[in-house]
Every structure is written in C-alpha cells, then in structure tokens.
Amino acid sequence: MSGVDEAGVLRPVGGGMRELLRVRPAGGTVDLAAIDPRSTPGLPAAAGSGKRRKAWAQEQVELLGAELGRQQEMLYASAKGAAGPDAPTSAPTAADAQLDGERPRRVLLVLQAMDCGGKDGTIKRVAGAMNPLGLHIRSFGPPTEEELRHDFLWRIRRALPPPGYVGIFNRSHYEDVLIARVGALVDEATWRARYDEINAFERELVDGAVTLVKVMLHISYAEQGERLMERLTDPHKYWKYNPSDLESRARWADYQAAYADALARCDADAAPWFVVPADRKWYRDWAVAHLLRETFGGLDLGYPAAGFDVQRERQRLRSGDEGPKVNDR
C-alpha cells in the first residue's frame, strides 16, 4: 500500500505531524478558535470513516507503540553506554556535565489541556507501549508549602527525566501562566514575567540535550461538558470528578486566552508547541504517537558500540563453560 513504511505504519498525509500541528503565531498571536477540536489533520483517507476510523487508528497506535519502544530502548542504551554500566540513574539537573565529550539525550513530553482534555488517556495509550523502566512520568498539582518557598521552576527542575529516559509531564510549568493567571494567584506583573523565564529555562534544557515536545490537547467546550457528565453518571468515574472543575469551566474564555498567550509567547523552533485536536480520543492518540515517532526519528538514535573487547569476553565465556570451579578445601 502506498505510504506504508517497513513497520506497517501508514504515513500522515500532507506532511509530517510536527509540521501539521505546529503552532506558528501569526503576528505574535494564536487563535485557538480557528482550530477545530474535532478536526483530524494528517489522517489518511485509507483510515475509512465512522467506527472503522477508530479501529484503524487503534491498530496504527499499536504499531507505532512498538516502534516507540524500540526508539526508547536505543535512547536508554545510548545514555547507559556513554555513562558506563555502573552509572547512577538518578534525575540530574539541566546542567549535567558531558560524559566522554557527548551528552546523553533525554526526551520530555509536556502535556497541557483543560480539565477532561485527555492527558491521562494519552499517557496510558501512547506511553503505555514503552518500557516503564525507561519512563519518567510526573504530575503537577497545586504546589506544596515547600514548593511555594522556592521559585516556580524549582519543582520542575527536580522532576526532569534522567539521561536516556523519556519524561512525561502531566501539567507542567505552564500552569504558572495559566491557572496562576486566571485564578489571580499572583499579580499580573509576576505572571507576565514568567514567559521570559520559561523561555530561558527551556533554552537551557535544549542546550542540555533535552528534546522538548510540548502538546496542548485541544478540546471543545461541548466535549468537556459531555466528559464531565460522564464522570457524574458512571459511579466508576466519580473519583475523576472534582467540584472545582465547574469553577474552571465557568472561566473557559479566560483559560482559552491564557493558553493562546502561552502558546504564542513560548513557541520556539528549539521548543515548539503543537496543538492536537482532541475531541476524538482515537485521533488524539494517533497524532501524539506520530509526534513522538517523528521526534525520535530526528535524533538519529542507534545502539552504542561495545565499551569492551567483544572477542575477549566471548573467549572468557567459552572458558568458563568448562564448568564451575570446585573449592576442594
């Protein structure tokens, strides 16, 4: 079939998803109202229609997941190979020293969305295909008392993934120019200054070999209402509901304006923003999986060469196969 690659994945039409979903502020502004949350950029006609599209997308996400898992393994192996087999795997700061003249890479997926936007579902279905040992997932809620004693990026720095890992932020430092702005948690001068702080921070991450994938899952007001009602209808989903969700919903227009400003002020070629239409969950997962795959593809990953004499180790293994030594004392 035309457009099918060696992994059996049908390529998006009209270009790569990083290009199709990239935010490019026109005149310094972003118009979220012009992006249809039910649209499906890049979806091939071969996906079919109706329920068939959903099933097709799920099949493709499974294939993409296998490829993501392979790329993730190479990312992890490259970092481990550069650091040596006994290197610690604790989370570093953004200014880690280079190892053997080459800094191991990290990938950080930042997910932002309105309530019910699908962050948890995206993590479950897309990241779920990867090896959990190489994932570093962090969620950010209201800051603790300790976190409030530091600048707003302090807790973010502490949550960065180690070299070789794929990090996922369920909400992020952008909450401090979203909810902090709409909820008037800080004064206007403070949240406005944070745009430049965020840009400097992300520049630091990129310079520290972190590849950023910033995704806004864009849902409609109507879709959010349906998902909230589902949580109030299904007893198994009561736990997902928070009465404060309706307070945020009442400020929908304010949040949309805050998101538009964050996207416009903090989009850069080195740290781009992508808006994924997310009313259709199956499309959301398909699009994010492709974004990650294309991101991995741009890193030119591979398995590291052995840091030891392979032939010598083979000989040692063969010699050892003569049998264990017996202590005859």
Side-chain angles (χ1 to χ4, degrees), residues 32 111-120 170-171 175 178-179 182 215-221 223-225 227-228 231 244-260 276 278-279 284:
L32 283 174
L111 293 175
Q112 286 289 156
M114 295 290 290
D115 294 327
C116 301
K119 299 181 299 298
D120 291 344
N170 184 335
R171 300 186 186 275
E175 292 296 289
L178 296 171
I179 190 171
V182 177
V215 174
M216 178 196 176
L217 302 175
H218 183 40
I219 64 169
S220 65
Y221 184 80
E223 180 66 20
Q224 186 196 56
R227 295 182 186 181
L228 285 170
R231 293 179 179 183
S244 66
D245 292 344
L246 293 186
E247 297 170 14
S248 298
R249 180 171 168 78
R251 304 291 299 274
W252 181 273
D254 294 331
Y255 271 105
Q256 293 295 291
Y259 265 105
V276 173
D279 272 14
R284 173 201 72 199

Side-chain angles (χ1 to χ4, degrees), residues 91 123 135-140 158-160 167-171:
I123 293 172
L135 289 175
H136 189 82
I137 303 173
R138 293 293 181 270
S139 295
F140 294 95
R158 289 165 57 87
L160 292 174
I168 302 177
F169 282 177
N170 184 335
R171 300 186 186 275

Side-chain angles (χ1 to χ4, degrees), residues 21-130:
L21 300 177
R22 169 76 187 275
V23 167
R24 297 188 183 280
T29 63
V30 170
D31 184 7
L32 283 174
I35 302 174
D36 182 0
R38 293 190 63 79
S39 61
T40 56
L43 191 72
S49 60
K51 293 182 179 180
R52 171 56 193 157
R53 285 193 303 178
K54 179 178 179 179
W56 177 90
Q58 291 172 339
E59 292 168 0
Q60 289 286 295
V61 169
E62 287 186 11
L63 294 173
L64 286 162
E67 176 65 14
L68 292 178
R70 187 178 71 87
Q71 295 281 355
Q72 177 205 22
E73 182 179 68
M74 288 192 290
L75 179 74
Y76 182 83
S78 296
K80 194 171 182 65
D86 299 320
T89 57
S90 57
T93 65
D96 288 318
Q98 291 191 11
L99 299 168
D100 298 330
E102 185 175 331
R103 188 170 301 183
R105 299 212 60 85
R106 293 172 266 172
V107 173
L108 178 59
L109 171 63
V110 173
L111 293 175
Q112 286 289 156
M114 295 290 290
D115 294 327
C116 301
K119 299 181 299 298
D120 291 344
T122 300
I123 293 172
K124 178 179 179 180
R125 295 178 181 84
V126 178
M130 292 186 266

Side-chain angles (χ1 to χ4, degrees), residues 123-161:
I123 293 172
K124 178 179 179 180
R125 295 178 181 84
V126 178
M130 292 186 266
N131 188 334
L133 295 178
L135 289 175
H136 189 82
I137 303 173
R138 293 293 181 270
S139 295
F140 294 95
T144 64
E145 290 186 8
E146 180 185 15
E147 290 168 345
L148 287 171
R149 290 194 292 268
H150 299 80
D151 72 275
F152 77 101
L153 291 172
W154 181 79
R155 65 175 181 166
I156 306 299
R157 292 181 184 278
R158 289 165 57 87
L160 292 174

